[in-house]
Amino acid sequence: MSDHTDERETFHHDPIGHAEARAGMTVGELADSYGEAGIGASDIHEAVDIYSEMLDDDVTTFFGLAGAMVPTGMRAIVSELIRDGHIDVLVTTGANCTHDSIEAIGGKHHHGEVTPEGRTEREHDETLRDEGVDRIYNVYLPQEHFALFENHLRDEVFSTLEDEGAVSIQRMTEELGRANAAVNEREDVPEDAGVLAAAYENDVPVYCPAFQDSVLGLQAWMYSQTSEFTVDALADMTQITDIAYEADSAGAMVVGGGVPKNYVLQTMLVSPDAYDYAVQLTMDPSNTGGLSGATLDEARSWGKLEKDARNVSVYADATITLPLVVAAARERHSTDA
């Protein structure tokens, strides 16, 4: 049997250790322990390591938020990151803006079921339809909250914008954040004013490039049919590309895929530089060729990431990975500060 010890050019003596899960561990200690292990655990560890560097003040952080992250309970994590100065640009969906606003003005999402005992999923959803309840996997939203949202948009948002001519989507989300904060305080809503309100109060621009694909977009279109209100879909491009162009160092935290992911990454295509850091949390596989699961290494080939950028993709449910990565990175960042 030949000895290949001297021929192993790509081999490093870095043996796998064993993660710990003991009582009293902090989330940061757990993430450090993941670094001893392999597969997804080591990816989580690397994501924490990279994201903690992105929290430095000299890094301009672009945060992409797709999926049903607000109605499934991730809302406070994002709003707290904004308030603490850890998000410089937020790119999200019209759905997340809609659900964030509903909670800001007094609506609530509720725990639900996918398939109750003794019923098929279809039978269950037919009953929910009859009862006026919308389902997002195992989360329920009573339909009357959409009526509340519609009135909020018409009375507090669109009516204040229609005299401004064609407004940018960012200007609309800014006004929505202002209105959410105002109503939340005026009505003494128990729930926090949320993501858009935090962005408004901290001068963080919120871009929603496919806002038409949501209840927010439907309501904007309906209002435009009988008023002077209109939206300029291209107006945001200059602002967000200017932010990227002027950044000394930039990082991308991408939660989910779709339009928010691409909008965050494509911003660097018209900048002389590219992202220095990037973390992706997704469940979509890369081998389908779709953008949502595409690796960040693939984005490097497009010039969206620097050749020497630190990046990692974590393939798991973002409602599990986002709190873990953020909490561990913030723990490390506060310790290092």
Side-chain angles (χ1 to χ4, degrees):
M1 186 175 187
S2 60
D3 185 356
H4 297 288
T5 303
D6 296 332
E7 302 172 11
R8 293 170 175 164
E9 295 180 3
T10 61
F11 181 85
H12 300 283
H13 290 280
D14 185 15
I16 289 289
H18 298 280
E20 294 183 90
R22 63 179 188 277
M25 293 179 75
T26 68
V27 67
E29 290 171 337
L30 178 62
D32 287 342
S33 177
Y34 278 6
E36 298 293 326
I39 311 181
S42 62
D43 290 338
I44 287 283
H45 175 265
E46 188 173 3
V48 170
D49 197 39
I50 295 171
Y51 188 55
S52 64
E53 290 194 24
M54 288 169 55
L55 298 180
D56 289 345
D57 291 339
D58 61 348
V59 179
T60 300
T61 302
F62 292 70
F63 198 102
L65 187 70
M69 299 303 288
V70 167
T72 52
M74 302 294 108
R75 181 175 184 254
I77 294 172
V78 180
S79 60
E80 287 169 5
L81 284 170
I82 292 172
R83 291 191 176 99
D84 291 340
H86 296 316
I87 294 177
D88 297 295
V89 172
L90 176 63
V91 179
T92 190
T93 61
N96 277 321
C97 291
T98 296
H99 293 285
D100 174 62
S101 300
I102 285 172
E103 295 230 348
I105 62 176
K108 282 297 296 181
H109 299 84
H110 300 268
H111 289 283
E113 296 178 281
V114 179
T115 50
E117 185 176 354
R119 290 185 178 181
T120 66
E121 185 174 353
R122 175 170 177 166
E123 290 170 339
H124 177 47
D125 287 319
E126 288 175 350
T127 299
L128 291 176
R129 171 72 175 271
D130 293 338
E131 295 179 352
V133 177
D134 295 324
R135 180 172 71 89
I136 306 168
Y137 190 61
N138 61 357
V139 174
Y140 293 162
L141 180 64
Q143 289 180 359
E144 59 265 25
H145 293 333
F146 285 114
L148 179 70
F149 179 57
E150 176 184 350
N151 293 333
H152 177 62
L153 289 173
R154 289 177 170 271
D155 297 341
E156 306 282 346
V157 182
F158 297 154
S159 60
T160 66
L161 293 173
E162 61 181 306
D163 293 334
E164 296 184 17
V167 299
S168 68
I169 299 172
Q170 186 275 323
R171 175 71 184 98
M172 183 182 64
T173 61
E174 177 184 49
E175 189 63 20
L176 183 53
R178 180 207 60 77
N180 289 354
V183 172
N184 185 269
E185 182 178 4
R186 186 174 72 223
E187 301 297 330
D188 195 25
V189 176
E191 191 61 61
D192 182 83
V195 175
L196 296 180
Y200 167 75
E201 292 164 353
N202 291 274
D203 296 321
V204 172
V206 178
Y207 301 104
C208 186
F211 92 100
Q212 302 96 319
D213 185 28
S214 66
V215 172
L216 172 60
L218 284 171
Q219 291 300 327
W221 169 74
M222 290 173 64
Y223 192 84
S224 72
Q225 301 305 293
T226 56
S227 73
E228 297 299 315
F229 173 74
T230 187
V231 175
D232 182 350
L234 295 178
D236 290 338
M237 300 294 288
T238 300
Q239 187 182 44
I240 192 172
T241 53
D242 282 351
I243 295 172
Y245 195 94
E246 294 168 6
D248 293 327
S249 180
M253 169 58 106
V254 181
V255 182
V259 173
K261 174 183 176 180
N262 188 65
Y263 202 71
V264 166
L265 295 179
Q266 78 168 15
T267 297
M268 287 299 174
L269 292 178
V270 290
S271 175
D273 300 312
Y275 284 110
D276 302 289
Y277 308 94
V279 173
Q280 172 180 234
L281 310 178
T282 185
M283 289 185 68
D284 293 294
S286 61
N287 61 354
T288 64
L291 174 113
S292 293
T295 65
L296 294 170
D297 289 321
E298 181 180 303
R300 181 179 279 106
S301 76
W302 291 77
K304 299 172 182 177
L305 270 66
E306 296 287 359
K307 288 184 177 180
D308 60 351
R310 296 197 62 199
N311 62 275
V312 65
S313 296
V314 180
Y315 294 92
D317 181 349
T319 63
I320 299 170
T321 57
L322 178 63
L324 178 57
V325 170
V326 169
R330 297 194 71 175
E331 180 180 325
R332 183 181 301 183
H333 182 72
S334 64
T335 302
D336 293 343

